[in-house]
Amino acid sequence: MLMQQLLNGIVVGSVYGLFALGFTLIFGVNHIMNMAHGTIFMWGAFAGLYAVTLFDVPFPVAVLIGALGGGLVSVILDWTAFRPLRKQGAPEFSSIVSSIGASLILLSLAQQLTATRVMRFPFDIFPIVAFNFFGLRIQLLQLVIIAIVVLMVVGLLYYLYRTSFGRQIRAVAVSEHTSKLLGINPTAINFQVFFISGALAGIAGVLIGIVFNSVHFMMGEPLLLRAFVVIILGGLGSIPGALIAGLLIGIIQTLTVAYLSAGLADALVFSTLFLVLLVRPTGLFGGASAVARVTRR
């Protein structure tokens, strides 16, 4: 029973980590808290859902469409809510307020389009296949979700540290002004960053929608709160920290629901954050600087 719950926690936590990766990427490069990230997650889930229900696309295509939908919404959000503020040199707090306003608009649109209904993926979207391994029941969907998350994390790290575009992203993260002197176009870099962030959120939205068989206009708000816990617990801007903290939060939440009470899950999650910050104020993988680790090797 314990091993089964640990497996369930790893699956849920890996999706939490995937969601938080996009959140911490924008913070690491643009040094802003995107309060609309949960809404992007929700729109990505709806993009994948409507692709399945209207066009009967298979699971892999639904995930890709969810990524594309989340990426496009994120880029539009950047153009309308963040880019004008960057041009004016507005303080970071203005970006937070702007993203909250954009989030409320996107939430209202989704509420009107769905009539506040809870929608579900078809049951045959993914084959129900399970394997028994020493008494542990492992579903094929769980293995696929873990594989997708690992692939996304490895791909993101490779992109950031092994490609010329990744080096440009890290240069903009250190100093946008200096990067311009080096011939880097920050506008193109921000386009990449917001699209990647939104795509990761969209993939997470489709996966969560399938795992819990529930897609609704408010589904991203609880995850946004957990994303705060994940990026602070893992260390601001740390990509490995976001993934490991996501796994930890998922395991704590699953074990609490299974053995204690669902009402205590959030309390234990925030208690864990509090205890870790007492020992390591910068988080598990945070450094002395608040500048994101995506800017360093």
Side-chain angles (χ1 to χ4, degrees):
M1 181 65 178
L2 175 60
M3 295 302 296
Q4 187 69 58
Q5 295 303 328
L6 285 175
L7 174 62
N8 296 338
I10 289 173
V11 173
V12 174
S14 62
V15 181
Y16 286 171
L18 183 63
F19 174 83
L21 278 180
F23 193 70
T24 197
L25 179 64
I26 289 182
F27 177 83
V29 177
N30 297 102
H31 314 296
I32 58 175
M33 291 289 186
N34 182 10
M35 303 301 294
H37 196 65
T39 313
I40 296 169
F41 162 90
M42 175 266 296
W43 276 91
F46 272 116
L49 174 65
Y50 281 118
V52 173
T53 55
L54 296 179
F55 304 104
D56 197 28
V57 301
F59 171 76
V61 178
V63 173
L64 289 176
I65 291 177
L68 180 62
L72 290 177
V73 172
S74 182
V75 168
I76 293 172
L77 176 70
D78 177 42
W79 288 347
T80 56
F82 295 124
R83 188 176 177 184
L85 296 177
R86 285 198 302 270
K87 288 184 176 180
Q88 298 174 12
E92 296 175 4
F93 182 73
S94 300
S95 299
I96 295 176
V97 175
S98 180
S99 66
I100 292 174
S103 176
L104 293 175
I105 293 173
L106 292 172
L107 281 174
S108 298
L109 287 174
Q111 183 180 15
Q112 294 298 320
L113 291 174
T114 62
T116 68
R117 291 176 298 164
V118 176
M119 306 178 71
R120 307 183 191 283
F121 282 89
F123 285 104
D124 60 350
I125 180 63
F126 197 89
I128 302 176
V129 179
F131 309 96
N132 290 316
F133 184 75
F134 292 104
L136 184 65
R137 182 179 175 84
I138 305 174
Q139 297 183 17
L140 179 60
L141 178 60
Q142 293 176 317
L143 297 177
V144 170
I145 288 175
I146 293 174
I148 290 174
V149 172
V150 171
L151 181 63
M152 292 297 101
V153 173
V154 172
L156 179 61
L157 289 174
Y158 180 85
Y159 188 78
L160 288 176
Y161 295 117
R162 291 291 183 267
T163 67
S164 60
F165 289 116
R167 287 189 288 271
Q168 292 177 36
I169 289 175
R170 289 184 285 129
V172 172
V174 173
S175 173
E176 182 172 319
H177 177 71
T178 304
S179 67
K180 290 180 180 179
L181 299 178
L182 297 174
I184 298 173
N185 183 1
T187 300
I189 297 302
N190 286 321
F191 175 88
Q192 294 180 52
V193 169
F194 274 87
F195 184 85
I196 293 172
S197 172
L200 294 175
I203 293 172
V206 173
L207 296 180
I208 285 289
I210 293 176
V211 169
F212 293 103
N213 197 22
S214 174
V215 179
H216 55 92
F217 77 100
M218 287 294 293
M219 65 181 294
E221 301 314 296
L223 246 67
L224 182 63
L225 184 61
R226 293 190 180 99
F228 272 112
V229 177
V230 168
I231 66 170
I232 295 173
L233 184 62
L236 290 173
S238 171
I239 292 177
L243 180 61
I244 293 175
L247 292 173
L248 180 61
I249 295 303
I251 291 172
I252 291 174
Q253 177 183 324
T254 303
L255 293 179
T256 303
V257 172
Y259 293 105
L260 297 176
S261 169
L264 293 176
D266 286 340
L268 286 181
V269 166
F270 284 99
S271 297
T272 302
L273 174 64
F274 175 73
L275 292 175
V276 170
L277 291 181
L278 285 178
V279 180
R280 287 190 59 85
T282 57
L284 295 175
F285 292 85
S289 172
V291 177
R293 283 184 175 246
V294 294
T295 65
R296 308 174 190 167
R297 286 298 297 264

